[in-house]
């Protein structure tokens, strides 16, 4: 059986973000960021599941080349951070929502497997130990919240090592233990400055910040405002 690619793009800082942001705003922000990444799917990956703040993709019976995988990772990161800048330039968000956007980062994990599937109520999804492994790898010892991670299993299939030159960052080895099994991987923090980010103009950013600050101040004043009708002059 041919190997298949497993691919997860996961938004870091999601839990903290929704805890500190109005639910209607956080819902819209996360939805738009996930949609931007789905639209950036250049490898024709199949979307297995939307997992809250993450997208679980797979490419059946095919392992892409090194350059194809790195290009997909770069394009998806670019789409994510580009749309994050678009969101920052909007004035409809509250000040708190706007300020918390910088907490959102992106991590991508890729693995390989001889894929099996499970079918439940006509819904077909990848199934097997590698599916469990790639999800476990989202919890790792990497210090960065913005990185790419390629398992050693996938690295071997692609014949990729730390010598591989790419424009996202320098690859190095890491490892963690899950359920008593050591998982070795290649990883690299992604340098966002190397992406083709379209930043809004200074005036657009300042106007958005000023508007959101005004909204925030008005929200605070509502909590302290005492209507004059409460006073009686007789």
């Amino acid at each position: 059986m041919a190997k298949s690619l497993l691919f997860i793009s996961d938004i870091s800082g999601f839990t903290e973000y929704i805890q500190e942001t109005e639910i209607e705003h956080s819902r819209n922000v996360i939805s738009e960021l996930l949609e931007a990444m789905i639209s950036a799917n250049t490898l024709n990956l199949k979307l297995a599941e939307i997992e809250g703040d993450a997208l679980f993709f797979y490419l059946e019976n095919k392992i892409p080349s090194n350059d194809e995988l790195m290009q997909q990772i770069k394009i998806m990161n670019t789409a994510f951070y580009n749309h994050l800048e678009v969101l920052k330039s909007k004035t409809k968000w509250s000040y708190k929502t706007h300020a918390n956007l910088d907490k959102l980062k992106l991590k991508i994990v890729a693995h390989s497997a001889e894929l099996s599937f499970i079918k439940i109520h006509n819904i077909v999804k990848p199934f097997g130990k590698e599916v469990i492994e790639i999800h476990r790898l989202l919890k790792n010892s990497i210090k960065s919240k913005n990185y790419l991670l390629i398992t050693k299993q996938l690295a071997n299939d692609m014949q990729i090592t730390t010598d591989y030159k790419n424009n996202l960052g320098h690859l190095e080895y890491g490892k963690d233990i899950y359920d008593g099994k050591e998982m070795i991987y290649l990883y690299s923090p992604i340098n966002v400055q190397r992406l083709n980010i379209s930043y809004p103009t200074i005036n657009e950013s300042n106007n958005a910040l000023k508007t959101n600050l005004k909204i925030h101040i008005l929200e605070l004043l509502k909590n302290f405002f005492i209507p004059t009708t409460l006073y009686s002059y007789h």
Side-chain angles (χ1 to χ4, degrees), residues 49-85:
E49 196 166 0
I50 299 174
E51 301 172 337
D53 58 339
L55 300 171
F56 177 31
F57 295 97
Y58 67 96
L59 186 61
E60 190 175 1
N61 297 329
K62 183 180 179 182
I63 297 295
S65 69
N66 299 348
D67 291 344
E68 286 173 336
L69 180 62
M70 289 300 180
Q71 183 68 5
Q72 175 64 89
I73 292 172
K74 180 178 181 180
I75 289 171
M76 198 163 283
N77 268 273
T78 302
F80 176 85
Y81 286 103
N82 262 331
H83 200 72
L84 201 57
E85 292 303 320

Side-chain angles (χ1 to χ4, degrees), residues 127-156:
F127 181 80
K129 67 181 181 65
E130 286 88 356
V131 173
I132 296 172
E133 287 172 352
I134 190 172
H135 285 86
R136 293 278 173 84
L137 281 163
L138 290 169
K139 303 295 184 182
N140 53 60
S141 57
I142 299 173
K143 301 303 181 184
S144 173
K145 293 184 178 180
N146 179 52
Y147 60 82
L148 66 92
L149 183 158
I150 299 171
T151 64
K152 190 172 187 294
Q153 184 167 304
L154 176 59
N156 289 341

Side-chain angles (χ1 to χ4, degrees), residues 6-36:
L6 301 176
F7 186 103
I8 295 180
S9 54
D10 179 76
I11 301 176
S12 302
F14 170 75
T15 301
E16 182 182 1
Y17 180 75
I18 62 172
Q19 289 175 342
E20 298 181 1
T21 308
E22 296 87 341
I23 185 63
E24 65 273 16
H25 290 165
S26 62
R27 180 175 60 239
N28 290 335
V29 165
I30 299 303
S31 174
E32 288 190 32
L33 289 172
L34 292 175
E35 287 177 3

Side-chain angles (χ1 to χ4, degrees), residues 59-211:
L59 186 61
E60 190 175 1
N61 297 329
K62 183 180 179 182
I63 297 295
S65 69
N66 299 348
D67 291 344
E68 286 173 336
L69 180 62
M70 289 300 180
Q71 183 68 5
Q72 175 64 89
I73 292 172
K74 180 178 181 180
I75 289 171
M76 198 163 283
N77 268 273
T78 302
F80 176 85
Y81 286 103
N82 262 331
H83 200 72
L84 201 57
E85 292 303 320
V86 170
L87 292 171
K88 289 178 187 178
S89 68
K90 289 185 176 182
T91 58
K92 68 177 182 179
W93 311 119
S94 70
Y95 180 76
K96 183 183 290 187
T97 301
H98 189 276
N100 286 337
L101 286 170
D102 280 328
K103 296 179 180 179
L104 300 177
K105 309 293 181 184
L106 182 64
K107 53 188 179 185
I108 290 180
V109 179
H111 195 15
S112 64
E114 292 184 355
L115 210 54
S116 297
F117 293 90
I118 185 170
K119 185 176 182 180
I120 305 172
H121 285 286
N122 295 319
I123 299 174
V124 178
K125 297 197 300 183
F127 181 80
K129 67 181 181 65
E130 286 88 356
V131 173
I132 296 172
E133 287 172 352
I134 190 172
H135 285 86
R136 293 278 173 84
L137 281 163
L138 290 169
K139 303 295 184 182
N140 53 60
S141 57
I142 299 173
K143 301 303 181 184
S144 173
K145 293 184 178 180
N146 179 52
Y147 60 82
L148 66 92
L149 183 158
I150 299 171
T151 64
K152 190 172 187 294
Q153 184 167 304
L154 176 59
N156 289 341
D157 293 333
M158 298 174 63
Q159 296 184 333
I160 185 171
T161 68
T162 54
D163 295 328
Y164 176 72
K165 304 297 182 183
N166 70 94
N167 57 3
L168 292 177
H170 176 70
L171 291 170
E172 56 185 290
Y173 281 106
K175 63 181 179 180
D176 286 289
I177 296 176
Y178 304 92
D179 301 324
K181 177 183 177 181
E182 183 179 73
M183 290 287 292
I184 301 173
Y185 49 80
L186 287 170
Y187 75 96
S188 173
I190 292 178
N191 186 347
V192 178
Q193 301 303 318
R194 295 184 180 182
L195 304 174
N196 299 318
I197 308 299
S198 299
Y199 293 97
T201 65
I202 294 176
N203 285 339
E204 288 174 334
S205 297
N206 286 342
N207 288 339
L209 187 60
K210 288 177 181 177
T211 302

